[in-house]
Amino acid sequence: MFIETDVTPNPATLKFLPGRTVLEHGSADFDSAAAAAISPLASALFDLPDVERVFLGTDFVSVTKSDAIAWPALKPQVLGAIMEHFLANRPVMASDAALVAEDVDPADREIADQIKELLDVRVRPAVAGDGGDIVFRGFRDGVVTLHMQGACSGCPSSTATLKMGIENLLRHYVPEVKSVEQVAA
């Protein structure tokens, strides 16, 4: 098994591409070992020293490390844990993660669907290319709320991406959008 690695805009995060499907649908973001209990793969990665966040995408795993360890020391351990997990044919998720409800005014459902389609087609592929994901959380009174995950969470350029990129894109295509805000999980 060959696992490719890729840098992300966040220097504390590396993207690992195992050459196979990681999650069939959606993504999963874990910021602690306790949160990762529903994922045998994420749990194995949190067992490594100084792993602070694990993000699972459809075809990649992003791992964020602490400043206490350098990538040359941690990267081989992460590669080993991912390889061991997939070679043993273990499940990535032990059960379905709980879905967070969207906050959308029923009168704005059509606008929210248009926003979600733009995010899926124009934003998510680019964000996934950097080892992260962006999740729609709601639309009320012209304000779109999004949650940044994976390498995008805590990335130095995430605020610029959110405000200058995503907000400008959505305001261009959806005149009802006034602003975009980031929310915690």
Side-chain angles (χ1 to χ4, degrees):
M1 174 177 198
F2 179 74
I3 301 173
E4 291 182 59
T5 58
D6 200 1
V7 296
T8 72
N10 183 347
T13 304
L14 278 181
K15 182 177 174 182
F16 297 85
L17 298 119
R20 60 176 61 188
T21 300
V22 176
L23 286 180
E24 290 290 329
H25 304 285
S27 60
D29 191 22
F30 305 104
D31 61 1
S32 69
I38 61 170
S39 170
L41 175 57
S43 292
L45 292 167
F46 271 106
D47 286 342
L48 301 175
D50 297 302
V51 168
E52 290 189 339
R53 176 175 233 108
V54 174
F55 177 78
L56 307 174
T58 54
D59 63 348
F60 67 91
V61 177
S62 290
V63 176
T64 303
K65 67 170 189 66
S66 75
D67 292 335
I69 194 166
W71 274 118
L74 183 58
K75 183 178 170 180
Q77 296 176 63
V78 172
L79 288 166
I82 293 171
M83 186 176 299
E84 181 181 315
H85 177 87
F86 282 112
L87 290 177
N89 288 320
R90 293 185 192 115
V92 172
M93 300 293 285
S95 64
D96 291 335
L99 297 175
V100 176
E102 295 175 354
D103 180 24
V104 176
D105 183 333
D108 292 333
R109 175 50 60 193
E110 189 174 313
I111 296 167
D113 290 342
Q114 184 179 4
I115 292 166
K116 288 171 26 177
E117 182 172 344
L118 280 166
L119 291 172
D120 286 345
V121 172
R122 298 213 175 222
V123 178
R124 291 181 97 191
V127 173
D130 288 337
D133 196 10
I134 188 159
V135 179
F136 176 83
R137 289 291 191 235
F139 177 71
R140 281 202 181 268
D141 302 319
V143 178
V144 177
T145 51
L146 304 172
H147 176 61
M148 306 286 270
Q149 296 181 323
C152 297
S153 178
C155 173
S157 61
S158 67
T159 301
T161 299
L162 193 70
K163 286 295 184 185
M164 298 167 98
I166 299 168
E167 184 174 290
N168 287 342
L169 174 93
L170 292 177
R171 290 177 73 186
H172 175 76
Y173 287 103
V174 185
E176 294 86 353
V177 172
K178 296 176 187 167
S179 70
V180 175
E181 301 296 327
Q182 182 172 337
V183 295

